Amino acid sequence: MNIESARRAVDVIKKHVAGAELHIDADVAMSGHYFTISKNSGGGWRALFKYNAELIFATEPYSQIAGATAIVNHIRSSAALAEVRTI
């Protein structure tokens, strides 16, 4: 992926993340942009942001579901204002 493709991907995320639905332990195919929170094989909870079942990004695992839910809420509230930096 080149830098312009990466910037376009970030723009899509910033545009859609605030209104994305949240589904906990949902193992069904959904359409559009949405978050899921699910337990991984190590027992941690991860928040996943998807588009039509395709993974866009995943968080680190959290020991409690509350941590994964909190990060989803934080991403929703701050992603649109986040600065994009090229490093």
Side-chain angles (χ1 to χ4, degrees):
M1 177 183 292
N2 64 34
I3 190 70
E4 289 308 312
S5 295
R7 285 185 182 276
R8 283 192 300 275
V10 169
D11 287 341
V12 168
I13 291 169
K14 289 170 80 170
K15 179 179 178 182
H16 296 285
V17 76
E21 293 182 13
L22 173 60
H23 302 276
I24 298 177
D25 261 347
D27 194 23
V28 296
M30 294 172 242
S31 61
H33 292 89
Y34 59 94
F35 284 98
T36 63
I37 294 178
S38 58
K39 203 167 203 175
N40 68 13
S41 60
W45 294 92
R46 297 181 78 118
L48 311 168
F49 183 64
K50 297 182 175 185
Y51 176 70
N52 292 340
E54 180 181 343
L55 179 64
I56 305 298
F57 69 82
T59 67
E60 64 185 7
Y62 292 86
S63 60
Q64 297 181 4
I65 194 169
T69 303
I71 198 64
V72 167
N73 291 331
H74 177 73
I75 292 167
R76 282 178 166 165
S77 66
S78 60
L81 303 175
E83 180 182 345
V84 178
R85 298 180 184 177
T86 304
I87 55 172

